[in-house]
Amino acid sequence: MNREMITTLTKAASISSCASTGSETDSDCSHLPDRPVKAQVRRGSNLSKTQHHLTGSFLFDDSPLPPLPNKPSSSTNPINERLVHNHLKNQGPNVSMFYRADGGVVAVKGEGAIIYEPDGSSYLDCANNVAGCGHSHPLIVKAAVDEIQNIMTNGRFLHPLRDAYVMRLLATLPPELDTLYLVNSGSEANDLALRMARQYSTSANPDHVICIDCAYHGHVQSVVDVSPYKWRQCTDGNAESYHKEHVHVVSAPDTYRGPYKTGAEYADEVKLVLEDTGGVGAFIHESILGCGGQIMMPDGYLPAVYDAVRSSGGCVIADEVQTGFGRPGTSFWQFQHYGVTPDIVTMGKPMGNGYPIGAVACRREVAERFAASGIEYFNTYGGNSVACAFGNAVLDAIEQDGLQENARVVGEYLMKRMRSLKELPSGVEFVKRRRTDYTGEDIIPHEKLCRYVVDFLKYERIIVSRDGPDGNVIKIKPPLVFTNGNVDSLVNGMKQALIEAEKTGYF
Ligand SMILES: Cc1ncc(COP(=O)(O)O)c(C=O)c1O
């Protein structure tokens, strides 16, 4: 195997960093190969001084892959065939589906890190951080069922479960973040965070936002606005219309393939936007860029950006929807890894182990300025007692099963095993040549090889996803109950895929 051709980004030291996947995000690239034309997205035209670097299109090559070696296809299974047919006929044509080209995955039961299809066959789930504590965790299921039998109503009523949950969740955060709003999803959390930031900011342009190229923050309009990952998928020639005047896009701080090699240089780009505009209401960032290709923030980047944004009267929102709840292993939240404390933190996904729940945590001062408008905040389902039963039980499970520590230990093992293939950590980037300096010019993303490996793994009954602007990053984001044995299955499967790919002449 020509090892020069698989290169990696050392993005994290635990399964924590195995952030996003198509299954529950956003970030399922499986629909993208259907798209024939590359979109042109305006390059930060409102950043006169800022050189903004787009690093890819998210519109992937759809040329056929070589045949997988004697593998059965799910698309010939009658149940898959019917469900795919109905999905395409009865739901919106762009509703995301995992492995669409190969009959999808019919997930009717889950247990730990395993997903079962109706016929009892199973997949190892390496792509699911919604069921962070593992599918159908008994403690969580019981707590939820108990509460469903008691009452289901709106958040205006007081409830002891909610009271307990709010206090417990706040206790996981730095003491400055002492106020919570409960919502129903990551998108809602980010929408609320932007609203609060606008109200809180004393900058010249409180409704302006800086976001990172390739970011994904959710599916409602306000957060699609700050999700360049989404605009890039646009193929109807209207990509420009998605880039709103109040949104300023800075380069993804990728020190491997991006234009700069240090966090300080990327932070300078943000400072230029602040100078240019006279200040913005908010800087919003994922703590690891999931759809951007599992990119960790480089040293020094966030501290410098936070200082600059705050000095100009704005505030900072950390989107922990993918990365929170013990996944970092060494900390409960990923922002803690960088030594910063945001003004607002948003969360969701693993928060309810599959039940829809999200939250916005903020400094009291931010909440007070938000409330000063006099507008009451009401959310029908946000903080309902069933959601809080799920939330409390998730915290119980993380504690009782030692899941944060498991993430650290198994994450380290994953890194070690991946490195034995070459150096493959949580996000695995396939390139044709490895560069020797930071010019970035001799790195050629190998999207096809990445697709081949993802497809091969599916036939080996292992679910992973791929992402990144060039579709050449495999994302590994298993439930935190993942074991060393699961790691072995995954890595052995990848090794087999690479051996087969070599036989086909892919290397
Ligand atoms: C980083 C990030 N933020 C926000 C969201 C939106 O969350 P939801 O789909 O729960 O609205 C997602 C979903 O994938 C995400 O990955």
Side-chain angles (χ1 to χ4, degrees):
M1 186 183 308
N2 180 351
R3 295 184 169 219
E4 278 297 280
M5 297 193 173
I6 312 160
T7 306
T8 61
L9 296 178
T10 303
K11 290 166 186 155
S14 74
I15 47 181
S16 59
S17 22
C18 313
S20 117
T21 185
S23 60
E24 80 272 21
T25 72
D26 73 77
S27 42
D28 182 358
C29 298
S30 57
H31 64 294
L32 291 175
D34 298 343
R35 297 168 183 273
V37 194
K38 286 207 170 196
Q40 292 299 312
V41 176
R42 179 171 53 176
R43 290 174 164 234
S45 59
N46 47 357
L47 306 183
S48 52
K49 289 189 212 157
T50 307
Q51 231 202 328
H52 170 232
H53 305 269
L54 293 175
T55 50
S57 69
F58 282 102
L59 298 170
F60 304 150
D61 182 5
D62 61 353
S63 53
L65 293 171
L68 292 158
N70 301 321
K71 301 288 180 187
S73 163
S74 313
S75 52
T76 54
N77 181 322
I79 299 182
N80 293 58
E81 207 178 347
R82 178 168 52 82
L83 293 187
V84 170
H85 172 83
N86 289 349
H87 178 106
L88 298 176
K89 180 167 160 280
N90 301 327
Q91 299 183 50
N94 53 353
V95 174
S96 183
M97 187 199 309
F98 235 174
Y99 299 108
R100 177 167 165 166
D102 185 47
V105 171
V106 184
V108 291
K109 189 171 163 51
E111 218 172 77
I114 305 294
I115 284 177
Y116 294 94
E117 291 205 303
D119 63 2
S121 57
S122 63
Y123 284 97
L124 177 62
D125 181 0
C126 305
N128 206 316
N129 81 337
V130 166
C133 300
H135 295 282
S136 311
H137 193 292
L139 185 154
I140 300 170
V141 171
K142 178 168 185 330
V145 169
D146 287 352
E147 186 49 25
I148 285 171
Q149 287 172 343
N150 289 334
I151 189 164
M152 293 178 77
T153 185
N154 74 49
R156 276 202 173 101
F157 294 97
L158 295 171
H159 199 291
L161 276 176
R162 184 178 184 180
D163 180 55
Y165 184 51
V166 169
M167 283 196 277
R168 283 182 80 184
L169 195 54
L170 287 174
T172 67
L173 290 156
E176 299 91 316
L177 297 165
D178 59 0
T179 301
L180 202 75
Y181 290 78
L182 286 165
V183 299
N184 304 292
S185 69
S187 299
E188 250 191 58
N190 284 325
D191 177 77
L192 178 59
L194 291 173
R195 238 179 104 188
M196 294 169 88
R198 191 174 308 135
Q199 202 108 355
Y200 172 76
S201 169
T202 54
S203 82
N205 303 288
D207 55 341
H208 283 224
V209 182
I210 300 176
C211 65
I212 294 179
D213 193 14
C214 305
Y216 180 70
H217 295 292
H219 60 83
V220 303
Q221 184 63 61
S222 61
V223 294
V224 168
D225 287 350
V226 294
S227 299
Y229 167 77
K230 279 286 147 192
W231 323 332
R232 288 164 172 283
Q233 297 172 2
C234 182
T235 53
D236 65 0
N238 289 317
E240 287 260 339
S241 67
Y242 282 93
H243 188 175
K244 305 278 171 55
E245 289 302 322
H246 71 281
V247 174
H248 307 270
V249 184
V250 291
S251 303
D254 179 349
T255 54
Y256 175 60
R257 280 215 290 140
Y260 309 122
K261 64 179 176 182
T262 65
E265 287 166 288
Y266 283 106
D268 284 346
E269 215 188 292
V270 178
K271 290 178 195 167
L272 272 182
V273 178
L274 294 169
E275 270 174 45
D276 243 11
T277 56
V280 298
F283 171 80
I284 184 167
H285 70 89
E286 293 163 83
S287 295
I288 292 175
L289 303 180
C291 302
Q294 297 301 101
I295 296 167
M296 294 269 290
M297 300 292 158
D299 284 350
Y301 177 67
L302 287 183
V305 168
Y306 276 39
D307 281 351
V309 171
R310 284 172 175 153
S311 310
S312 66
C315 71
V316 181
I317 303 167
D319 178 341
E320 289 272 343
V321 168
Q322 289 277 1
T323 46
F325 290 91
R327 186 161 287 269
T330 48
S331 57
F332 198 82
W333 303 103
Q334 181 64 29
F335 68 80
Q336 294 170 314
H337 178 84
Y338 309 115
V340 293
T341 301
D343 301 298
I344 303 178
V345 174
T346 58
M347 54 193 86
K349 284 199 195 283
M351 192 171 169
N353 213 46
Y355 186 85
I357 177 171
V360 177
C362 63
R363 291 192 292 108
R364 191 78 196 162
E365 196 192 348
V366 175
E368 275 167 3
R369 276 203 222 160
F370 178 52
S373 68
I375 301 173
E376 180 194 61
Y377 182 77
F378 171 62
N379 187 326
T380 301
Y381 301 116
N384 74 77
S385 64
V386 175
C388 292
F390 271 99
N392 270 309
V394 164
L395 295 182
D396 287 339
I398 292 172
E399 269 169 42
Q400 288 175 28
D401 298 350
L403 293 182
Q404 183 178 323
E405 177 61 5
N406 192 57
R408 190 187 67 74
V409 173
V410 179
E412 272 171 17
Y413 182 65
L414 172 70
M415 297 281 278
K416 193 171 132 213
R417 287 278 350 248
M418 288 291 197
R419 284 195 177 106
S420 74
L421 282 184
K422 167 57 188 166
E423 296 170 315
L424 306 177
S426 60
V428 182
E429 181 155 16
F430 291 85
V431 295
K432 289 185 185 171
R433 263 182 290 143
R434 181 165 52 180
R435 73 175 165 192
T436 48
D437 60 17
Y438 283 98
T439 61
E441 277 166 14
D442 57 353
I443 299 177
I444 305 168
H446 205 329
E447 190 233 335
K448 258 194 189 171
L449 177 60
C450 189
R451 274 168 66 197
Y452 185 87
V453 173
V454 171
D455 287 357
F456 187 96
L457 286 176
K458 188 196 175 216
Y459 293 115
E460 295 294 318
R461 315 296 297 182
I462 296 172
I463 298 176
V464 294
S465 67
R466 73 191 167 97
D467 221 319
D470 297 300
N472 67 322
V473 178
I474 287 192
K475 295 193 298 184
I476 305 160
K477 190 182 56 170
L480 302 188
V481 292
F482 219 57
T483 62
N484 285 0
N486 296 148
V487 168
D488 288 339
S489 305
L490 170 65
V491 177
N492 294 342
M494 287 185 77
K495 189 172 176 182
Q496 200 51 40
L498 293 169
I499 290 167
E500 292 292 340
E502 189 176 35
K503 281 192 206 156
T504 67
Y506 254 34
F507 283 114

